[in-house]
């Protein structure tokens, strides 16, 4: 068996392992939320925390998910080779879950886990295909100041490692602080800042925008960098069109195998979700990936750069959306 076949076989085994692990963790989260920690979820719903006041059909954000995606012609740049980019096809499997806890009637703390595996298949014979494993531990806090204002902050250390020779674990740190102002039952504003501190470069993003529940079915979230238009014809269906940061932009030093994650690539896609059982939702998304967005790198602003080499992607997964928090 060739080295490439062995690598693909190992990747497939790891994908299966992650899928099994993801299903187990997602099922565990669902079971816990419906069982032993049901009282905690109920207490959060009965606390002074305000999550949603409108009668919109749009469900609450996922607190656990299992997702697999495929990107065609993903760009990876090699800083050693003069910053030249090379084309790869990327397959990714990711899973995450978080559990919230009340520390007071006005304070909530959430602790979670995130793990991802990506396979980069080279489109050129002179380049080497490789795998990437990433993992992170997000920790967040939110406080209800009064009926109109909330504050929140999070931190998330991450680690990445590739299968390339001599590769070592590369550490990255994400963090953010935010404030949310509820104007009325249909409109709220958010302000804040986000930072991504990595070994290759540091990225800083302002976080500002608004969310508007136009009707029970339509909602606009004009919050950078995740703008979204949502249409929920019922409590069991959801369609969304929007953009989000993507993990499809990487830097790889082929000489050492060290890898760097660049948060400057974006996905633009249309997704459809359907409630399959209780708080479990099945999700599918199609779109294009690779758009370059506004960022501050190394302390200097860089203008938006839309990459004409964008590639299509497809993603399927399962979300756990706690309806008790709506």
């Amino acid at each position: 068996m060739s080295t490439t076949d062995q690598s693909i076989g190992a990747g497939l085994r790891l994908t299966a392992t992650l899928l099994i692990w993801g299903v187990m963790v997602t099922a565990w989260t669902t079971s816990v939320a419906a069982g032993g920690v049901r009282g905690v979820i109920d207490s959060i719903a009965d606390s002074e925390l305000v999550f949603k006041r409108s009668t919109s059909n749009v469900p609450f954000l996922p607190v656990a998910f299992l997702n697999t995606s495929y990107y065609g012609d993903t760009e990876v740049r090699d800083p050693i080779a003069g910053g030249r980019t090379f084309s790869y096809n990327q397959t990714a499997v990711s899973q995450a879950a978080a559990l919230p806890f009340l520390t007071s009637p006005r304070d909530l703390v959430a602790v979670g886990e995130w793990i991802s595996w990506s396979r980069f298949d080279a489109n050129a014979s002179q380049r080497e295909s490789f795998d990437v494993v990433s993992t992170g531990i997000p920790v967040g806090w939110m406080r209800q100041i009064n009926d109109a204002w909330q504050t929140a902050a999070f931190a998330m250390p991450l680690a990445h490692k590739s299968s390339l020779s001599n590769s070592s674990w590369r550490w990255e740190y994400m963090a953010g602080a935010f404030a949310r102002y509820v104007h009325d039952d249909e409109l709220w504003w958010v302000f804040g800042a986000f930072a991504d501190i990595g070994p290759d470069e540091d990225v800083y993003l302002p976080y500002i925008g608004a969310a508007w529940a136009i009707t029970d079915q339509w909602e606009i979230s004009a919050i950078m960098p995740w703008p979204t238009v949502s249409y929920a014809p019922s409590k069991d269906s959801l369609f969304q069109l929007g953009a989000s940061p993507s993990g499809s932009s990487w830097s790889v030093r082929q000489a050492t195998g060290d890898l760097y994650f660049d948060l400057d690539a974006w996905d633009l896609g249309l997704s459809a979700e359907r409630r399959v059982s209780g708080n479990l939702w099945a999700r599918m998304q199609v779109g294009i990936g690779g758009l370059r967005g506004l960022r501050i790198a190394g302390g200097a602003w860089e203008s938006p750069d839309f990459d004409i080499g964008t590639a299509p992607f497809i993603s399927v997964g399962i979300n756990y959306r706690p309806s008790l928090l709506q």
Side-chain angles (χ1 to χ4, degrees), residues 144-263:
Q144 189 77 39
I145 298 177
N146 52 44
D147 288 342
W149 284 95
Q150 289 175 336
T151 56
F154 85 96
M156 182 177 177
L158 301 97
H160 312 284
K161 189 178 187 302
S162 77
S163 62
L164 295 170
S165 301
N166 302 318
S167 174
S168 59
W169 284 97
R170 309 302 298 178
W171 285 92
E172 179 184 4
Y173 305 91
M174 294 184 182
F178 317 97
R180 177 174 179 252
Y181 172 69
V182 180
H183 181 268
D184 53 38
D185 289 355
E186 284 74 39
L187 176 65
W188 54 266
W189 299 84
V190 63
F191 317 91
F194 168 84
D196 177 15
I197 312 299
D200 189 31
E201 62 183 7
D202 301 336
V203 175
Y204 308 90
L205 289 172
Y207 195 93
I208 186 170
W212 179 25
I214 304 174
T215 67
D216 289 353
Q217 292 80 33
W218 288 94
E219 185 173 300
I220 296 177
S221 178
I223 300 173
M224 290 301 294
W226 299 278
T228 305
V229 176
S230 301
Y231 172 61
S234 70
K235 292 289 186 180
D236 299 321
S237 300
L238 174 65
F239 301 90
Q240 290 185 315
L241 174 66
S244 62
S246 164
S248 62
S249 181
W250 302 80
S251 296
V252 176
R253 285 185 166 88
Q254 292 280 351
T256 63
D258 288 339
L259 172 140
Y260 305 91
F261 174 73
D262 292 333
L263 192 67

Side-chain angles (χ1 to χ4, degrees), residues 109-157:
V109 174
V111 180
E113 52 77 32
W114 172 76
I115 185 170
S116 174
W117 168 80
S118 294
R119 171 71 181 177
F120 292 88
D121 289 309
N123 292 328
S125 58
Q126 69 271 25
R127 310 308 300 180
E128 180 181 355
S129 299
F130 61 95
D131 302 319
V132 176
V133 174
S134 301
T135 186
I137 303 177
V139 179
W141 163 80
M142 184 178 73
R143 178 172 178 78
Q144 189 77 39
I145 298 177
N146 52 44
D147 288 342
W149 284 95
Q150 289 175 336
T151 56
F154 85 96
M156 182 177 177

